[in-house]
Amino acid sequence: MDIFNVFSIIGTIAFAVSGAIVAMEEEYDILGVYVLGLVTAFGGGVVRNLLIGMPVTTLWSQGYLFKIAIISMTIAFVLPVRWILRWRRSEALFDAIGLAAFAIQGALYATDMGHPLSAVLVAAMLTGIGGGIIRDVLAGRKPLVLKDEIYAVWAMLAGLAIGLGWFETTVELLVLFVIVIVFRMLSVYYKWKLPRRSLRGAFAASERVPVNGQNYKQKDV
């Protein structure tokens, strides 16, 4: 087993448990826990395969990862609450490991198939964050990876570095792996965020019109 398989195992455990915990927070039953955990761990890879032309059936060749995910979710389901809270405190590190491993994996798949740089970027990003987006949508939440600390950017930068041929050998890829983890953890610690612009207040104000210069009523839509 090479080092990246080890990283993929760690990432699978982190993402599967993350999905299971979200399901329990939303009070899903045990079937919902398994579904949300598996979607989080493997959803990004499925979407990536569809977009870059890889057979979706290659997913079934990862049987050992499915078993690891099922075992991880089962353990999370029966763990005492205090242990789950401890996991949550270190979750960011394991999540960063999973993001780095899956982003690099997705980029390598795309480059091996001879896709252009744009496809490599998309493959890296979707493999790293796709499962989390699907998880949040199924749980009725806004996707945290698109509004929390910088997250998807690190996956895209990993894809850019691989697509440009800056990291090719095993040692170089390991260096890239560490770089992604470090920058992801720095963004968590310092709460780095991308620029954002909120129009919620402006839209809310525009839906109210003055009446007699004093009172306001809701504007008909």
Side-chain angles (χ1 to χ4, degrees):
M1 182 178 295
D2 60 53
I3 189 66
F4 284 103
N5 278 333
V6 175
F7 294 150
S8 294
I9 289 172
I10 295 174
T12 298
I13 294 172
F15 287 174
V17 173
S18 171
I21 290 175
V22 169
M24 288 186 283
E25 289 176 352
E26 298 296 329
E27 300 183 343
Y28 289 6
D29 60 21
I30 189 169
L31 178 60
V33 170
Y34 286 131
V35 169
L36 215 58
L38 289 174
V39 163
T40 308
F42 300 101
V46 171
V47 176
R48 174 205 66 211
N49 289 356
L50 287 172
L51 289 179
I52 68 174
M54 285 186 65
V56 179
T57 52
T58 57
L59 180 69
W60 307 119
S61 65
Q62 300 177 323
Y64 73 100
L65 289 178
F66 272 97
K67 294 176 183 177
I68 290 172
I70 292 293
I71 293 171
S72 301
M73 291 182 290
T74 303
I75 293 173
F77 188 78
V78 301
L79 277 178
V81 174
R82 64 179 183 277
W83 288 22
I84 294 177
L85 293 177
R86 290 177 182 174
W87 164 271
R88 293 297 296 270
R89 285 194 288 268
S90 59
E91 181 182 15
L93 175 60
F94 289 101
D95 186 75
I97 293 173
L99 173 70
F102 289 164
I104 292 173
Q105 179 196 71
L108 290 175
Y109 277 138
T111 53
D112 288 345
M113 296 181 68
H115 286 300
L117 182 60
S118 58
V120 176
L121 292 176
V122 171
M125 181 184 68
L126 287 179
T127 310
I129 75 170
I133 292 177
I134 299 172
R135 174 202 64 201
D136 291 339
V137 170
L138 291 178
R141 302 180 174 188
K142 293 181 179 179
L144 294 178
V145 298
L146 299 180
K147 64 188 290 287
D148 208 351
E149 295 89 3
I150 298 176
Y151 191 91
V153 171
W154 306 128
M156 295 178 66
L157 290 177
L160 178 65
I162 292 175
L164 292 176
W166 295 347
F167 296 84
E168 295 180 341
T169 67
T170 300
V171 173
E172 290 171 344
L173 292 174
L174 283 172
V175 172
L176 178 61
F177 176 79
V178 173
I179 290 173
V180 173
I181 293 174
V182 169
F183 275 95
R184 169 56 187 159
M185 295 307 297
L186 286 174
S187 67
V188 171
Y189 184 79
Y190 290 107
K191 299 187 182 302
W192 293 341
K193 297 180 183 292
L194 292 174
R196 66 181 66 188
R197 182 185 182 190
S198 175
L199 296 177
R200 180 181 299 177
F203 287 156
S206 69
E207 291 176 354
R208 303 178 67 85
V209 296
V211 179
N212 298 327
Q214 295 180 350
N215 300 322
Y216 288 81
K217 70 177 182 179
Q218 189 71 25
K219 183 179 180 182
D220 294 335
V221 179

